Amino acid sequence: MNKSEITAAIAEDANLTKKDVDKSLSAFESVVTGELAKGGKIQLVGFVSIDVVERAAREGRNPQTGQPIKIAASKAPRFKAGKTLRDAVNGK
């Protein structure tokens, strides 16, 4: 499902206009991105938890040549599904 399909589904389910839902989704994306950029954490209890993990610098290998390469340290978002979501996906 892409963003336009999600927008249409939410608009139909919540009886809202697609324009209002699109604004809400864009605001949600902005808030989540801003909070994670500050190193914060997002929790939607039962649905998902999102936080930022730091990855240390390490040495890897170029898969084509086998030569060692240096991989820089970085930060990455980590998503953990909540119990309600896991149960729904598993049909419980």
Side-chain angles (χ1 to χ4, degrees):
M1 211 177 210
N2 62 31
K3 186 175 179 179
S4 63
E5 292 169 334
I6 291 170
T7 301
I10 292 172
E12 183 178 324
D13 192 50
N15 199 24
L16 297 169
T17 66
K18 288 181 184 178
K19 187 175 181 179
D20 288 341
V21 172
D22 189 52
K23 282 183 186 179
S24 296
L25 279 176
S26 294
F28 178 76
E29 290 173 0
S30 176
V31 169
V32 169
T33 301
E35 184 63 23
L36 294 176
K38 293 188 295 188
K41 184 176 182 176
I42 303 293
Q43 282 186 300
L44 298 174
V45 176
F47 185 64
V48 69
S49 293
I50 310 168
D51 61 358
V52 177
V53 293
E54 294 192 26
R55 295 181 178 164
R58 62 194 189 280
E59 188 174 285
R61 294 214 173 264
N62 181 326
Q64 292 180 337
T65 64
Q67 296 294 326
I69 58 172
K70 292 186 180 196
I71 301 171
S74 64
K75 295 179 182 179
R78 173 175 53 187
F79 299 81
K80 293 195 290 188
K83 183 173 178 3
T84 306
L85 178 58
R86 282 194 315 267
D87 288 348
V89 169
N90 288 308
K92 293 182 182 178

